[in-house]
Amino acid sequence: MPTYKYEGAYANGERVTGVVEAVSQNDAVAQIRQSCEVVLYLKEVPRAAARDPLERFQKVSAKSLALTCQQFAIILKAGLPLVQTVDLVADQCTDKALGRLLRQVSEDVSNGWSLSYSLEQRGGRKLPVTFRETVRAGEESGDLLSSFRRLSDYFQRMSKTHDSVVSALTYPAFVIVVAVFVVAIIMGYAVPTFTSMFESMDIELPWVTVALIAVSHFFQRYTLVLVGLLALAILLVRLYGVTEKGGPVLARAQMNLPILGNIVRMSGASQFAHTMSTLLTAGMPILQAIEVSGRTMTNQCMAAEVLNTLSGVEGGRSLGECMGYAKELPAMLIQMTAVGEATGSMESTLKVLAEYYDNEVEVRTKQALALLEPAIIVVLAIFVVFILMAVYLPMFSMYSAI
């Protein structure tokens, strides 16, 4: 629906400006004249320019958002007007995509749009719903400064958790990549050389050598087919995961995985606790905070259970009681939410709980990786022994036959 910027006047001559959404100019004039007698100026606010086709797939990182929110808080504390604040933050932004978005937002705000409405229109796909809704709550409460401070803390924690997981995964990923590369060289170049040598000998090859040669021939012929099938399987799983039926199925499968399932569950609990604490502290009503928190959770099963509590809370029941019927949410999350609700300190309780789950996710991830590293070494050792046996056993047979 088009947005119109207007200037009107009351019967006593006092002038007023604002914006209104309407299907046409006539409808806009009719809406404006309900509050003021004379419409002096009316202009449609230009909509967003055409976006880069790839821009819809780009997401702003938590690290960039943390820095941006911190800059907003510092400049707003200095008392600068909002339009000038957005301009300054856009100029200092190191994320080019986010900088372009903020420059568009600055134009919108100068044309009379609210900051939250512009962020919704311009960055609906790239900006997290937590960011947009917390800014909206800050505008409605008249305390944008505190909202940006809380968002800065929130995204700093998210960035720290993400960086710690990536750091922990770097070494095992490197080992796996190197192992795959080495195995490919052995199976593609080394084994065929030994194969031609053994075929020239008039000896019976042991089953280990026969098996290695067969595996080498298989990979030489069907490597591209296997890679294509693997890529197709990943694509099909991703497409199935975005369907209404497939998303919950894959989410439940993640939580049923050994070791990793518990990490997924705790990560979801951390997301809920962080988001709820941030939104409630910003002054957002609890029903809206529950809805936004549910939509920000990456695991669809846990998100659905959070969203299912809305009807009960609307009916007058407590959030802790409604969460008690959930099967996938951790028991501690449910109990501590109920305690915080009963004592009137849900925001602080959830904040402490979020920090607890962040620490647990980090510890459990490191424990899982500590098990993965020796497992990789054992698998590689078995493969090396298998190759050595396949190569040396025919030589021993040849020497014994001399």
Side-chain angles (χ1 to χ4, degrees):
M1 185 179 294
T3 302
Y4 296 90
K5 183 180 180 180
Y6 71 88
E7 182 179 356
Y10 296 110
N12 60 4
E14 182 183 354
R15 296 194 175 191
V16 62
T17 59
V19 291
V20 63
E21 290 186 0
V23 295
S24 65
Q25 286 190 350
N26 292 334
D27 185 35
V29 171
Q31 291 186 41
I32 296 167
R33 295 192 65 178
Q34 292 178 3
S35 57
C36 58
E37 288 77 4
V38 182
V39 179
L40 301 174
Y41 171 83
L42 182 68
K43 181 180 179 182
E44 182 177 349
V45 178
R47 289 194 174 274
R51 294 186 176 96
D52 182 349
L54 298 178
E55 194 169 312
R56 61 179 295 184
F57 301 105
Q58 299 173 354
K59 298 293 184 181
V60 182
S61 66
K63 189 174 183 179
S64 296
L65 286 173
L67 180 59
T68 298
C69 292
Q70 189 176 42
Q71 291 171 342
F72 264 109
I74 293 171
I75 298 173
L76 286 173
K77 186 178 180 180
L80 272 68
L82 183 58
V83 175
Q84 190 176 353
T85 299
V86 180
D87 279 333
L88 288 174
V89 174
D91 291 339
Q92 299 175 24
C93 190
T94 55
D95 188 314
K96 294 182 179 180
L98 182 57
R100 288 195 299 268
L101 187 150
L102 290 177
R103 290 186 185 92
Q104 294 174 343
V105 170
S106 176
E107 294 177 7
D108 294 341
V109 174
S110 65
N111 286 327
W113 289 18
S114 68
L115 178 60
S116 58
Y117 181 77
S118 179
L119 291 172
E120 179 72 32
Q121 296 299 311
R122 302 285 187 176
R125 292 184 180 274
K126 293 195 297 184
L127 297 176
V129 64
T130 308
F131 178 82
R132 304 196 307 268
E133 294 297 334
T134 305
V135 171
R136 190 190 309 278
E139 279 190 317
E140 292 175 354
S141 64
D143 192 6
L144 265 177
L145 174 60
S146 297
S147 293
F148 278 115
R149 283 175 174 171
R150 284 186 285 269
L151 282 172
S152 177
D153 293 339
Y154 173 81
F155 287 116
Q156 280 179 353
R157 289 192 296 266
M158 295 295 102
S159 177
K160 182 180 178 181
T161 301
H162 176 267
D163 290 345
S164 64
V165 172
V166 170
S167 176
L169 288 172
T170 300
Y171 176 72
F174 176 76
V175 172
I176 292 174
V177 170
V178 171
V180 170
F181 184 71
V182 171
V183 169
I185 292 177
I186 292 174
M187 301 302 290
Y189 297 97
V191 174
T193 302
F194 287 110
T195 300
S196 59
M197 181 182 68
F198 291 147
E199 288 176 349
S200 63
M201 301 177 182
D202 188 19
I203 58 173
E204 183 178 355
L205 297 177
W207 69 268
V208 178
T209 307
V210 173
L212 181 63
I213 294 173
V215 172
S216 176
H217 287 166
F218 177 81
F219 278 104
Q220 284 181 331
R221 293 179 181 179
Y222 301 108
T223 296
L224 294 179
V225 176
L226 292 175
V227 171
L229 290 175
L230 179 61
L232 179 61
I234 294 174
L235 177 61
L236 291 176
V237 170
R238 284 185 171 273
L239 292 176
Y240 182 65
V242 299
T243 62
E244 185 177 351
K245 181 180 179 180
V249 171
L250 294 182
R252 188 169 289 106
Q254 287 179 346
M255 292 188 291
N256 290 332
L257 291 173
I259 301 176
L260 296 180
N262 202 21
I263 296 176
V264 171
R265 203 180 305 272
M266 289 185 174
S267 179
S270 172
Q271 284 182 315
F272 172 80
H274 272 305
T275 308
M276 276 291 290
S277 174
T278 301
L279 296 176
L280 291 175
T281 307
M284 183 177 289
I286 188 168
L287 288 173
Q288 190 177 353
I290 294 171
E291 182 181 2
V292 173
S293 299
R295 287 193 287 138
T296 59
M297 298 176 71
T298 54
N299 187 279
Q300 292 190 24
C301 282
M302 299 181 71
E305 291 191 335
V306 170
L307 294 175
N308 287 339
T309 63
L310 282 170
S311 57
V313 176
E314 285 178 334
R317 298 161 65 186
S318 68
L319 175 60
E321 180 184 355
C322 296
M323 290 175 65
Y325 295 98
K327 297 180 180 179
E328 304 296 346
L329 298 178
M332 179 179 288
L333 177 66
I334 298 172
Q335 295 169 3
M336 293 302 293
T337 300
V339 170
E341 193 174 18
T343 58
S345 59
M346 186 185 292
E347 298 92 335
S348 58
T349 302
L350 287 174
K351 184 177 180 180
V352 173
L353 194 60
E355 293 173 355
Y356 164 78
Y357 277 120
D358 283 344
N359 183 66
E360 283 296 303
V361 168
E362 185 175 356
V363 171
R364 297 295 178 91
T365 301
K366 289 181 179 179
Q367 290 176 348
L369 292 175
L371 295 175
L372 178 63
E373 291 174 9
I376 295 173
I377 294 173
V378 169
V379 171
L380 290 177
I382 292 174
F383 185 75
V384 169
V385 171
F386 178 75
I387 293 177
L388 291 176
M389 290 177 62
V391 171
Y392 283 106
L393 284 179
M395 294 182 180
F396 294 153
S397 299
M398 181 181 64
Y399 293 146
S400 62
I402 295 177

